[in-house]
């Protein structure tokens, strides 16, 4: 197992009725920017619960954060934070809102051009250089409620870029599984597949001696397979909802990646599909992931075979098990309502591979993956295979 440091200061407050604890979690005398998305919190009662819990605090609201938060929108919030001297931000929403708030937190006190935060992937480690924030999670998927990473889209350049740093952990996150009862089926499907792929990015690399990390990763995958199809149909079932929400958090709160290799090329390619065509994040991962495993079959074969044996109880030769494990993954994605071909999502895909390769070349991203062996030629093959 590789050396590692595990740091996660987020106070996770999990369970029914926890929103009422907001007044004790938010710092006293805080001037709060309440940030949310398209307005679903007004329909499901969460807004009312939050405002009741924040009675007595000075609250300024900022809504309209997109499903893939846009730099241009977030900069409007940054201007309000600066003008109003906001000293605490509360994200009420899913991963996109929380990611957007992380950008606001970093950009509000940033002395340079805020677009550099994204284009130069700046790391924020000094908590005095960011505005503190907390979250009320309304859509399980990304794990952003308990990690320090963020992904933001620059609409002007059609780029979806990530940044982060240890200063960008939420101070607290309230996770009430009952909130998923009002979510559309598509968002629940996306949440399951997003979390599942997060685990695969940290798990489907090559065999190593991080035995416990593998077992924890496998347990999350097995739980998502167990509850995923059912929670979409029965979101009011608390056992299903709570295990779904906790699995999404555990998939990307930093634990399972410690001491072991990780990939993330599926995400880097998938982000381009979202930026170009507006494809849901989880659905871009479902399109790219299986084909990345096929193109990288020889270097990932050992771990694919382990995955096939432990998750799907497959038997046969290593090659047979590894290949069938990819097929089983695609079948699970289909069960969760995913399309796994780019042509099912857009008609304008013929030059996608060349565009992505050229963009990666411009950024200097010439080698991706856990072994840095995903060359631009392989990126092209992965995308073309995904058509």
């Amino acid at each position: 197992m590789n050396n590692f440091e595990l740091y996660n200061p987020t106070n996770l407050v999990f369970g029914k009725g926890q929103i009422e604890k907001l007044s004790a979690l938010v710092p006293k005398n805080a001037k709060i920017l309440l940030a949310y998305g398209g307005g679903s919190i007004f329909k499901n009662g969460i807004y009312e619960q939050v405002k009741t819990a924040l009675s007595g605090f000075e609250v300024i609201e900022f809504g309209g954060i997109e499903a893939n938060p846009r730099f241009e929108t977030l900069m409007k919030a940054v201007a309000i934070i600066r003008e109003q001297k906001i000293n605490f931000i509360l994200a009420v929403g899913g991963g996109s809102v929380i990611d957007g708030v992380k950008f606001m937190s970093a950009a509000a006190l940033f002395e340079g051009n805020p677009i550099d935060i994204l284009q130069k992937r700046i790391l924020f480690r000094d908590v005095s250089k960011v505005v503190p924030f907390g979250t009320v999670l309304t859509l399980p998927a990304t794990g952003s409620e308990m990690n320090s990473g963020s992904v933001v889209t620059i609409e002007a350049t059609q780029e979806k870029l990530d940044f982060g740093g240890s200063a960008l952990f939420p101070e607290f996150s309230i996770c009430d599984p009952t909130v998923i009862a009002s979510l559309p089926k598509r968002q629940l499907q996306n949440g399951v597949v997003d979390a599942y792929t997060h685990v695969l990015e940290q798990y489907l690399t090559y065999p190593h001696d991080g035995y416990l990390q593998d077992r924890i990763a496998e347990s999350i995958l097995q739980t998502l397979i167990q509850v995923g199809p059912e929670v979409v149909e029965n979101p009011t079932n608390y056992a299903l909802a709570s295990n779904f929400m906790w699995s999404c958090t555990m998939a990307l709160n930093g634990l399972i990646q410690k001491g072991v290799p990780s990939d993330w090329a599926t995400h880097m390619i998938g982000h381009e599909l979202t930026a170009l065509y507006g494809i849901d994040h989880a659905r871009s991962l479902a399109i790219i992931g299986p084909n990345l495993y096929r193109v990288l079959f020889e270097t990932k074969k050992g771990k694919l075979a382990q995955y096939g044996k432990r998750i799907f109880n497959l038997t046969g030769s290593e090659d047979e098990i590894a290949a069938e494990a990819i097929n089983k993954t695609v079948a699970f994605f289909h069960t969760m309502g995913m399309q796994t071909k780019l042509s099912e999502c857009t008609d304008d895909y013929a030059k996608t591979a060349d565009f992505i390769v050229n963009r990666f070349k411009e950024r200097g991203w010439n080698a991706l993956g856990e072994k840095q062996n995903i060359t631009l030629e392989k990126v092209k093959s992965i995308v073309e295979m995904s058509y």
Side-chain angles (χ1 to χ4, degrees):
M1 188 182 297
N2 300 329
N3 294 351
F4 68 88
E5 294 183 15
L6 177 60
Y7 173 75
N8 194 319
T10 300
N11 177 18
L12 195 83
V13 185
F14 190 97
K16 299 177 183 178
Q18 300 286 36
I19 292 176
E20 65 186 28
K21 294 183 178 178
L22 261 177
S23 60
L25 294 168
V26 173
K28 302 301 180 187
N29 302 316
K31 186 174 184 180
I32 303 167
L33 182 75
L34 174 60
Y36 48 83
S40 63
I41 62 170
F42 293 99
K43 301 174 184 176
N44 56 23
I46 294 174
Y47 175 82
E48 185 177 346
Q49 292 180 57
V50 169
K51 287 301 294 275
T52 299
L54 293 178
S55 176
F57 287 92
E58 184 175 358
V59 178
I60 296 171
E61 298 184 24
F62 183 86
I65 298 172
E66 302 87 356
N68 291 287
R70 295 174 186 169
F71 167 80
E72 292 83 356
T73 300
L74 301 177
M75 284 305 298
K76 296 176 184 177
V78 170
I80 293 172
I81 293 168
R82 291 172 174 172
E83 291 166 6
Q84 298 291 331
K85 294 182 170 52
I86 299 291
N87 58 16
F88 193 84
I89 312 171
L90 182 65
V92 181
S96 292
V97 173
I98 299 171
D99 278 10
V101 163
K102 289 177 183 176
F103 179 82
M104 296 175 199
S105 169
L109 303 181
F110 189 66
E111 294 180 356
N113 185 343
I115 204 167
D116 288 344
I117 295 171
L118 304 174
Q119 293 183 334
K120 296 182 179 180
R121 303 176 83 185
I122 292 173
L123 289 175
F124 290 81
R125 297 189 176 94
D126 185 348
V127 294
S128 71
K129 300 294 185 182
V130 302
V131 178
F133 65 96
T135 88
V136 176
L137 182 67
T138 64
L139 171 59
T142 70
S144 194
E145 68 276 5
M146 201 179 181
N147 66 42
S148 60
S150 173
V151 184
V152 170
T153 296
I154 305 173
E155 186 177 19
T157 57
Q158 290 187 297
E159 294 178 281
K160 187 175 179 181
L161 301 170
D162 65 287
F163 75 102
S166 58
L168 291 174
F169 282 100
E171 291 202 347
F172 64 82
S173 285
I174 294 174
C175 300
D176 181 345
T178 65
V179 303
I180 77 163
S182 61
L183 292 175
K185 182 179 290 188
R186 184 183 182 94
Q187 290 187 340
L188 293 170
Q189 292 171 330
N190 285 350
V192 171
V193 172
D194 196 357
Y196 196 90
T197 310
H198 286 159
V199 178
L200 293 184
E201 292 276 52
Q202 300 163 92
Y203 174 78
L204 280 184
T205 54
Y206 52 83
H208 51 70
D209 57 5
Y211 309 134
L212 179 60
Q213 302 302 70
D214 273 1
R215 292 296 188 184
I216 297 172
E218 289 157 2
S219 71
I220 299 171
L221 295 174
Q222 289 169 327
T223 303
L224 288 169
I225 290 172
Q226 177 185 346
V227 307
E230 292 186 66
V231 78
V232 170
E233 302 299 330
N234 302 290
T236 58
N237 182 306
Y238 189 75
L240 297 174
S242 56
N243 280 281
F244 164 49
M245 181 173 275
W246 185 224
S247 292
C248 291
T249 300
M250 286 294 293
L252 201 58
N253 67 357
L255 178 61
I256 63 173
Q257 72 179 23
K258 297 304 180 183
V260 299
S262 57
D263 187 345
W264 299 112
T266 295
H267 271 70
M268 296 173 78
I269 300 170
H271 286 335
E272 299 302 317
L273 300 186
T274 299
L276 288 170
Y277 305 117
I279 298 170
D280 297 0
H281 173 58
R283 292 165 194 266
S284 76
L285 303 179
I287 291 167
I288 295 297
N291 295 305
L292 184 144
Y293 309 143
R294 291 177 176 123
V295 171
L296 275 294
F297 186 80
E298 288 303 318
T299 55
K300 289 184 179 286
K301 181 168 59 178
K303 207 58 179 288
L304 279 164
Q306 177 181 308
Y307 168 60
K309 292 174 186 175
R310 294 185 180 181
I311 302 301
F312 299 113
N313 299 312
L314 300 176
T315 58
S317 69
E318 182 177 68
D319 280 43
E320 291 169 340
I321 295 172
E324 184 58 20
I326 300 173
N327 295 335
K328 290 287 188 182
T329 303
V330 173
F332 176 62
F333 289 167
H334 288 164
T335 298
M336 297 310 306
M338 300 293 112
Q339 290 87 27
T340 52
K341 296 179 182 177
L342 184 56
S343 56
E344 295 174 310
C345 301
T346 178
D347 294 328
D348 187 26
Y349 60 84
K351 297 180 180 180
T352 306
D354 288 334
F355 182 89
I356 292 174
V357 166
N358 289 334
R359 175 163 276 180
F360 283 10
K361 189 181 298 182
E362 290 169 0
R363 294 176 186 156
W365 297 1
N366 298 311
L368 310 176
E370 68 274 14
K371 290 187 174 181
Q372 293 291 285
N373 63 341
I374 303 179
T375 61
L376 294 179
E377 182 180 350
K378 288 179 180 176
V379 169
K380 183 174 182 179
S381 296
I382 292 164
V383 177
E384 289 180 340
M385 192 179 288
S386 301
Y387 287 172

